[in-house]
Amino acid sequence: MSAARPTAIGIGYSKTLPCEAESAGRARQLVTDALNRWGIGELVDAGTLIVSELFTNSLDHTHDRAARVVVRRVADDRIRIGVADKSRDAPEMTKPDEDSENGRGLSVIDTIADRWGYDLHSWGKVTWAELRVCGEESEQ
């Protein structure tokens, strides 16, 4: 008989990545690894899409050399995925034309996340999205 693992609230994973397109894959891997370690692999698709959009948004709208990706367990039933950069410009959800290839990232996040937002700091901001953990965690 195996016991359910306790949830480590406040525990998380983070990694600073160069602001280049190739880093989006490493950001997705960080999210995948964290969610699988917490036994909530069913959130990998949503989580990796969120971090891709957040990281790309940072890449497209800041001139930073690096951004920090953070994945945290903020409650038993909630994880937060964030990207920190040095820009203090607030992210804005836009309504692009049908033919536009860009500008839908925050709309996508708004659709799949339980909630999203940003926190301003003296050094920049963290744009984040939260996913709700449904059901019981997997036993390992």
Side-chain angles (χ1 to χ4, degrees):
M1 179 173 158
S2 62
R5 292 182 334 166
T7 304
I9 304 303
I11 299 299
Y13 298 88
S14 67
K15 188 170 202 160
T16 300
L17 299 169
C19 280
E20 52 193 40
E22 297 79 25
S23 294
R26 295 192 298 192
R28 287 189 297 273
Q29 189 61 55
L30 177 69
V31 170
T32 298
D33 291 346
L35 297 177
N36 283 331
R37 286 183 182 145
W38 290 328
I40 49 176
E42 68 274 8
L43 295 178
V44 166
D45 289 343
T48 56
L49 181 55
I50 286 170
V51 79
S52 290
E53 296 298 342
L54 290 175
F55 193 85
T56 299
N57 198 45
S58 181
L59 184 66
D60 289 347
H61 298 287
T62 68
H63 301 289
D64 292 346
R65 291 183 183 183
R68 186 154 193 87
V69 176
V70 180
V71 187
R72 287 187 36 230
R73 192 76 186 251
V74 293
D76 284 336
D77 66 342
R78 188 174 300 276
I79 60 135
R80 179 178 281 197
I81 299 166
V83 174
D85 58 47
K86 293 182 181 177
S87 171
R88 289 185 43 83
D89 294 337
E92 294 182 36
M93 203 166 16
T94 59
K95 293 187 181 207
D97 296 332
E98 285 183 22
D99 298 333
S100 180
E101 293 183 18
N102 298 315
R104 291 180 177 82
L106 291 177
S107 294
V108 169
I109 290 170
D110 190 57
T111 300
I112 62 175
D114 190 47
R115 66 185 189 148
W116 71 274
Y118 63 94
D119 300 321
L120 289 177
H121 300 278
S122 60
W123 47 263
K125 71 174 174 314
V126 178
T127 306
W128 52 265
E130 291 183 352
L131 291 171
R132 186 173 300 279
V133 179
C134 297
E136 294 184 21
E137 290 184 26
S138 302
E139 294 181 10
Q140 292 189 356

